Amino acid sequence: MNDSQRWTDWIASHGPQLVLFARRWAVDHADAEDLVQEAFVRFWPARSGVNDPLAYLYRCVRTVAIDAARSRFARDGRELAVSATRDESPQLDCELENDERRQQIEAALAELPLEQAEVVTLKIWSNLTFAQIAEVTCASPGTVASRYRYAMEHLRRLLSESNTP
Amino acid sequence: MNDDTPSHNPLEEQLSALRPRQLSDGFAQRLGERLERQDGEPQGRRPLGTRFFLPVAAIAVLILVALWLVQNFALRENPLLPKQEIVMPGAESHEPPPPQTPGPTLFAYSQAIASGNDGLDELLDRHAATLLPDVPVKESAGQRWPSIE
């Protein structure tokens, strides 16, 4: 297995999850892909010098995405977490019959505070541990666990409200 | 709630059933091109030898310059200040003082005494003449007397 295949394996295994994570700060799906590419270019030459390459990769994505959001905020005053100008393109894939539920879940995720939304994304779809999420978000594992618990309660309340006719 | 506890949360299961959206078709190609461009560019980090050698060389140069400055200015007279020649009062020439005639020794005095009063007187006169300022000496009857004229 040479180097050219290795990075493709990384992208095949983690690419969609990385883009989903970057969507927390990106304007749209294409913007999120650009952020992931930039982060991966930074990550690839440095991957051998870190203990947890996957957590380091997510941390690179987070850093690049936050920097881009700050630049965008400084340039035209948009919010750091793009909730006001939400991209309507789907972030998650599902069967057609579940598309309505998908929209409700994505809308509920967009209502979460940023620190809760990123923890849920990393835990549910990236399958990272609380320790890895703590490394990515520069928080303690206890704080991460608390954010996750509050996020799930908040999501449950939002989704139950959306189910109420 | 920790990672080791198996979760039977229906909401988690409902969320996990959804998959992240797939990447666009050109994503891998664009990323491959960016990685190739990065490989062709000079590395940001300099080699270890350069990163170590340059600071050491700079410090060595600074030390040498400091030593040169100390050697040339701190230990020598300042070339910017005008040279001042200190002249002792009464000195009229820069010629070195004439070598002084060493005074008579005890042995010379004992020899002079042994030779008689004339020898002793002559020795005393000669010794006195060396101590007196440069005064013309008049010789009279074989003896040399300082002139007081």
Side-chain angles (χ1 to χ4, degrees), chain A residues 14-109:
Chain A
H14 306 289
Q17 292 82 353
L18 292 167
V19 173
L20 179 63
F21 180 61
R23 285 291 293 268
R24 302 277 77 79
W25 295 271
V27 176
D28 52 25
H29 188 79
D31 186 31
E33 287 192 347
D34 288 340
L35 296 175
V36 168
Q37 289 193 3
E38 182 174 345
F40 196 89
V41 167
R42 298 186 186 184
F43 153 80
W44 190 242
R47 68 194 184 282
S48 59
V50 296
N51 293 331
D52 190 339
L54 183 59
Y56 178 66
L57 175 55
Y58 274 97
R59 188 166 176 179
C60 289
V61 171
R62 186 175 187 268
T63 301
V64 169
I66 289 176
D67 289 344
R70 283 176 177 162
S71 298
R72 190 171 57 244
F73 176 76
R75 187 174 62 245
D76 53 18
R78 291 192 184 185
E79 295 180 7
L80 194 62
V82 192
S83 58
T85 57
R86 189 183 314 156
D87 178 30
E88 297 300 330
S89 62
Q91 305 177 30
L92 301 167
D93 284 343
C94 64
E95 302 299 329
L96 187 59
E97 57 269 22
N98 296 327
D99 191 65
E100 183 178 355
R101 190 57 174 169
R102 175 196 62 79
Q103 293 181 19
Q104 293 173 350
I105 290 174
E106 290 187 7
L109 278 173

Side-chain angles (χ1 to χ4, degrees), chain A residues 110-129:
Chain A
E111 296 298 322
L112 290 181
L114 184 56
E115 61 270 14
Q116 293 182 10
E118 61 178 347
V119 171
V120 169
T121 303
L122 292 173
K123 188 73 175 75
I124 298 295
W125 289 290
S126 300
N127 293 313
L128 298 186
T129 64

Side-chain angles (χ1 to χ4, degrees), chain B residues 20-117:
Chain B
R21 178 178 166 180
Q22 292 300 309
L23 302 174
S24 61
D25 292 337
F27 182 91
Q29 180 181 357
R30 293 196 305 272
L31 180 56
E33 292 172 355
R34 293 185 71 164
L35 289 172
E36 287 181 2
R37 277 202 304 273
Q38 184 190 47
D39 289 340
E41 292 174 357
Q43 296 296 326
R45 290 176 63 84
R46 292 173 293 178
L48 180 62
T50 304
R51 283 188 282 129
F52 176 75
F53 172 75
L54 286 179
V56 170
I59 292 172
V61 168
L62 288 175
I63 292 174
L64 290 175
V65 169
L67 289 175
W68 181 84
L69 288 173
V70 168
Q71 188 175 12
N72 286 275
F73 292 100
L75 300 182
R76 296 181 183 176
E77 58 185 33
N78 193 337
L80 298 178
L81 295 177
K83 292 186 178 179
Q84 293 181 350
E85 197 170 292
I86 300 177
V87 179
M88 295 299 292
E92 297 176 351
S93 69
H94 298 292
E95 295 179 356
Q100 295 183 351
T101 305
T105 61
L106 185 59
F107 177 75
Y109 272 108
S110 62
Q111 290 287 325
I113 292 172
S115 65
N117 288 337

